[in-house]
Amino acid sequence: MTVRTVLKMGHPLLLQRAAEVDAFDTPLLHALLQDMRDTMTQLNGAGLAAPQIGVSLRVVIFGFDANERYPDAPPVPLTVLINPELSPLDEQMEEGWEGCLSVPGMRGLVPRHARLRYRGFDAQGQLIDRSVEGFHARVVQHEVDHLDGILYPFRIPDLRQFGFSETLFPGQLLVDD
Ligand code: NI
């Protein structure tokens, strides 16, 4: 069990484009994924991208069960997604509140594609191909943005809709992704 330090906004590595993974099912990749799972679980995250723990590779994990920490969100299957590609299924955008382990204690209102198809690979190199919507689609877009050096505050169109979680949503238990 290794909980790694999560880099915070301001760290230059979070602004880089991460590199493609070119070898699957390796001890190195499995060790990275184990650290990512441990870190996400420990910090109650909904997702985590490898650059957030200082590894500039195109690897994300996300997913959670329905529980009291996500009162309005349906469960999202725990997913390892490597070298992902996203394609929106239509033009429709949807606004939603986001947080991020690299921007702790904050929330912002971010427009995302409401429906999209994502493709990528799991740890063994097996193809993943899913069409999703709603919160699942949002989480994937947030995590894949990390691989391109984009943090959610960069996508907030109205910065008046950006602030501290405890002030915006007093008394609520919120998670970061
Ligand atoms: Ni994030």
Side-chain angles (χ1 to χ4, degrees), residues 45-139:
L48 190 71
Q52 292 182 275
I53 59 166
V55 177
S56 194
L57 288 172
R58 301 186 80 75
V59 176
V60 303
I61 62 171
F62 53 85
F64 51 86
D65 299 322
N67 65 39
E68 73 281 359
R69 293 188 283 113
Y70 305 90
D72 304 318
V76 173
L78 191 61
T79 301
V80 168
L81 190 63
I82 299 169
N83 297 346
E85 285 179 34
L86 307 186
S87 14
L89 292 176
D90 54 42
E91 298 295 305
Q92 196 191 323
M93 305 294 284
E94 210 165 65
E95 287 196 319
W97 290 94
E98 295 188 15
C100 180
L101 294 171
S102 295
V103 193
M106 310 288 291
R107 284 290 180 282
L109 196 61
V110 182
R112 299 283 187 186
H113 293 285
R115 278 174 284 277
L116 60 85
R117 177 182 184 186
Y118 67 85
R119 279 169 286 190
F121 300 92
D122 69 11
Q124 281 73 34
Q126 298 293 310
L127 183 68
I128 295 169
D129 185 342
R130 291 181 186 152
S131 292
V132 299
E133 60 182 15
F135 195 71
H136 191 156
R138 174 170 301 278
V139 169

Side-chain angles (χ1 to χ4, degrees), residues 47 52 99-102 142-143 146 151-152 177:
Q52 292 182 275
C100 180
L101 294 171
S102 295
H142 176 113
E143 297 311 328
H146 277 295
L151 299 169
Y152 83 82
D177 48 24

Side-chain angles (χ1 to χ4, degrees), residues 1-6 34-35 38-43 53:
M1 170 104 186
T2 308
V3 176
R4 303 269 291 260
T5 301
V6 175
Q34 191 57 53
D35 285 0
D38 291 345
T39 304
M40 184 174 90
T41 303
Q42 179 70 27
L43 301 177
I53 59 166

